[in-house]
């Protein structure tokens, strides 16, 4: 789609001679955003200068006013009047807003970020809260004589305190110079870098919590305790380097020892995720995806060959990132478990792009035609560390 086709669609949606309804305009911008996000359209297809020329009345002539050399010869009063005329037009900022938003989401959802795969995202309206729950009843099923009432089961109250949420964000500005010199790529790069900066902050906070760098686990009002250790539960497997399937077995044995802190009953853990530094990527894939294993020596001793014991039973999500080593300072430490049962991200709001209103002070004092604020607010929380095991070499 070219800029003329886009303008014609916009005019059709906003034409008051064609039974205009406000919902038609909303649908136009919604469809435009969806097409950008789903890849049917590319934000690289549209130039900021072209959007200005075609969506602002007398846009081409007004854009020439942004030429610093031309401003010297023009009347100051005339320039101010024309500036006021163009900023009252919302189509330009709405269109560029959708383009900026698509670039923000492209960088925010980069597949090499693994943090969101380690947490259950829990929407919340609170700035830190208690996540309520109940302890297991345990083996307390009572014998009920014929005709007698069933006894009541007593539930042990439990809760986890989550950290306070924090807002993070930055602003992307489109200056008059960016419009005049058609610096579309620069604006989109800035938008992408803003999204990436905020996303990296979230990634590091999630990994710091999931990998045990931050001490965040607070149960029943107690002081924060480490996510991994040997007391009051043992989910730290020292000297358990990731070499073959037996190392995964060693971690599973620790899961077998996990018990409910109230009843003492075993906690059923079904490990579904491996987290490791990039140095262990080939090793992890060989261990998990190998079709068979061999045991024994080669010279003089028979070699026992059998199917990979991990096949069939386990379907691991293999997650690696340079940030794993960056946060742990180790190229050999790895983690196994059910992270989405262990961890949560308490989210007030996800990544949001907000457009500044027209006629702002920044437009007059800084020659900023439009501004877009990118923000998110949330906090990482440890809900139940017994669903994870940390292994060191």
């Amino acid at each position: 789609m070219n800029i003329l086709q886009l303008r014609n669609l916009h005019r059709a949606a906003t034409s008051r001679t064609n039974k205009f309804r406000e919902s038609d305009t909303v649908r136009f911008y919604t469809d435009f955003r969806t097409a950008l996000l789903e890849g049917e359209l590319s934000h690289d297809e549209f130039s900021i200068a072209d959007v200005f020329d075609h969506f602002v009345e007398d846009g081409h002539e007004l854009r020439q006013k942004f030429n610093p050399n031309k401003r010297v010869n023009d009347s100051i009063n005339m320039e101010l009047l024309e500036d006021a005329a163009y900023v009252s037009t919302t189509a330009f900022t709405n269109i560029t807003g959708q383009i900026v938003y698509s670039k923000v989401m492209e960088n925010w959802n980069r597949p090499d970020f693994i943090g969101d795969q380690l947490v259950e995202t829990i929407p919340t309206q609170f700035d830190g809260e208690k996540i309520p729950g109940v302890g297991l009843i345990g083996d307390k099923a009572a014998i009920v004589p014929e005709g007698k009432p069933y006894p009541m089961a007593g539930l042990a109250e439990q809760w986890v305190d989550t950290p306070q949420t924090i807002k993070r964000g930055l602003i992307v500005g489109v200056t008059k110079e960016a419009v005049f010199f058609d610096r579309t790529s620069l604006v989109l790069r800035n938008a992408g870098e803003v999204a990436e900066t905020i996303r990296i902050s979230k990634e590091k906070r999630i990994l710091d919590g999931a990998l045990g760098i931050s001490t965040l686990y607070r149960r029943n009002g107690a002081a924060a305790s480490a996510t991994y250790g040997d007391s009051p539960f043992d989910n730290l497997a020292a000297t358990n380097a990731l070499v073959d399937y037996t190392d995964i077995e060693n971690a599973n044995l620790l899961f077998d020892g996990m018990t409910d802190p109230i009843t003492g009953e075993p906690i059923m853990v079904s490990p579904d995720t491996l987290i490791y530094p990039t140095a262990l990527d080939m090793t992890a894939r060989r261990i998990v995806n190998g079709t068979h294993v061999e045991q024994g020596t080669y010279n003089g001793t028979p070699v026992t060959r059998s199917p990979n014991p991990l096949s069939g039973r386990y379907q691991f999500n293999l997650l690696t990132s340079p940030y794993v080593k960056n946060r742990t300072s180790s190229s050999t430490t790895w983690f196994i478990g059910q992270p989405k049962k262990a961890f949560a991200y308490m989210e007030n709001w996800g990544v949001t792009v907000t457009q500044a209103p027209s006629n702002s002070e920044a437009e007059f004092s800084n020659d900023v035609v439009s501004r877009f604020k990118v923000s998110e607010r949330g906090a990482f929380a440890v809900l139940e560390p017994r669903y994870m095991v940390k292994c060191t070499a």
Side-chain angles (χ1 to χ4, degrees):
M1 179 185 294
N2 59 38
I3 192 66
L4 291 176
Q5 292 172 317
L6 184 65
R7 185 187 65 180
N8 290 337
L9 288 174
H10 180 266
R11 285 181 175 176
T14 58
S15 173
R16 296 189 179 273
T17 60
N18 188 27
K19 297 182 180 180
F20 167 76
R21 295 177 302 175
E22 185 177 355
S23 60
D24 294 330
T25 303
V26 173
R27 187 179 301 110
F28 166 80
Y29 289 117
T30 300
D31 291 345
F32 182 53
R33 172 183 290 194
T34 301
L36 288 169
L37 294 177
E38 295 182 354
E40 296 176 13
L41 296 176
S42 171
H43 42 64
D44 296 322
E45 293 181 45
F46 302 99
S47 157
I48 288 177
D50 284 343
V51 173
F52 193 91
D53 288 350
H54 289 84
F55 283 86
V56 176
E57 186 177 355
D58 298 325
H60 179 74
E61 291 76 12
L62 291 175
R63 187 162 62 88
Q64 303 314 305
K65 287 287 184 181
F66 297 165
N67 186 340
N69 293 327
K70 188 173 180 59
R71 290 187 199 178
V72 174
N73 300 319
D74 284 349
S75 165
I76 294 178
N77 290 333
M78 181 62 69
E79 184 177 346
L80 289 175
L81 287 173
E82 291 181 346
D83 283 351
Y86 90 78
V87 294
S88 66
T89 302
T90 59
F92 167 71
T93 50
N94 285 340
I95 292 291
T96 54
Q98 305 307 320
I99 296 172
V100 167
Y101 178 80
S102 71
K103 185 61 177 179
V104 166
M105 296 309 299
E106 178 184 287
N107 281 45
W108 182 267
N109 292 322
R110 276 175 38 187
D112 46 347
F113 290 126
I114 65 173
D116 285 344
Q117 299 180 66
L118 303 179
V119 295
E120 177 188 0
T121 299
I122 301 179
T124 177
Q125 297 180 350
F126 302 102
D127 182 15
E129 62 178 301
K130 291 183 177 180
I131 301 295
V134 292
L136 297 177
I137 298 174
D139 187 9
K140 300 296 183 181
I143 297 175
V144 183
E146 183 178 353
K148 298 297 181 181
Y150 284 80
M152 295 294 294
L155 300 181
E157 257 189 63
Q158 302 289 309
W159 74 87
V160 172
D161 292 300
T162 67
Q164 287 186 317
T165 59
I166 298 176
K167 177 175 63 179
R168 290 171 171 81
L170 290 167
I171 290 176
V172 180
V174 181
T175 64
K176 291 183 178 181
E177 286 80 5
V179 175
F180 176 76
F181 294 111
D182 194 14
R183 293 172 177 163
T184 304
S185 60
L186 177 61
V187 172
L188 293 180
R189 185 168 72 244
N190 288 344
E193 288 174 350
V194 164
E196 185 173 344
T197 295
I198 301 172
R199 186 66 180 86
I200 286 174
S201 171
K202 181 182 180 182
E203 184 83 352
K204 290 163 66 174
R205 286 181 286 120
I206 290 177
L207 288 176
D208 282 355
L211 306 182
I213 310 302
S214 302
T215 301
L216 299 172
Y217 180 53
R218 297 184 60 200
R219 183 184 179 92
N220 295 341
S225 60
T227 303
Y228 302 100
D230 55 11
S231 178
F233 50 87
D234 185 4
N235 66 347
L236 177 60
T239 64
N240 189 43
L242 186 62
V243 177
D244 57 33
Y245 75 92
T246 61
D247 305 306
I248 293 178
E249 183 180 37
N250 292 336
N252 282 341
L253 294 177
L254 288 185
F255 286 126
D256 280 350
M258 299 296 178
T259 58
D260 181 85
I262 301 300
T263 66
E265 295 291 333
I267 297 177
M268 302 299 183
V269 184
S270 299
D272 59 15
T273 302
L274 292 179
I275 311 163
Y276 49 84
T278 54
L280 294 178
D281 190 37
M282 300 302 177
T283 300
R285 295 182 185 280
R286 173 180 57 80
I287 294 171
V288 171
N289 298 322
T291 58
H292 68 275
V293 297
E294 294 182 350
Q295 295 175 318
T297 59
Y298 176 74
N299 293 322
T301 303
V303 175
T304 301
R305 179 171 179 168
S306 61
N308 186 347
L310 299 178
S311 299
R313 180 178 178 184
Y314 297 100
Q315 295 292 328
F316 286 113
N317 187 18
L318 303 180
L319 298 180
T320 185
S321 162
Y323 277 107
V324 176
K325 179 182 177 181
N326 176 268
R327 308 317 290 171
T328 63
S329 300
S330 171
S331 60
T332 56
T333 298
W334 58 285
F335 304 79
I336 183 174
Q338 290 181 273
K340 289 196 173 184
K341 283 193 172 184
F343 311 124
Y345 192 78
M346 311 302 296
E347 184 178 84
N348 295 131
W349 64 80
V351 59
T352 303
V353 181
T354 306
Q355 183 176 311
S358 301
N359 294 314
S360 67
E361 174 63 23
E363 191 258 329
F364 179 81
S365 59
N366 299 91
D367 279 348
V368 176
V369 176
S370 56
R371 292 181 298 163
F372 306 93
K373 179 174 61 182
V374 184
S375 70
E376 73 92 22
R377 180 165 182 151
F380 175 90
V382 179
L383 301 184
E384 182 48 82
R386 292 170 177 83
Y387 283 98
M388 292 296 296
V389 164
K390 174 182 178 180
C391 301
T392 65

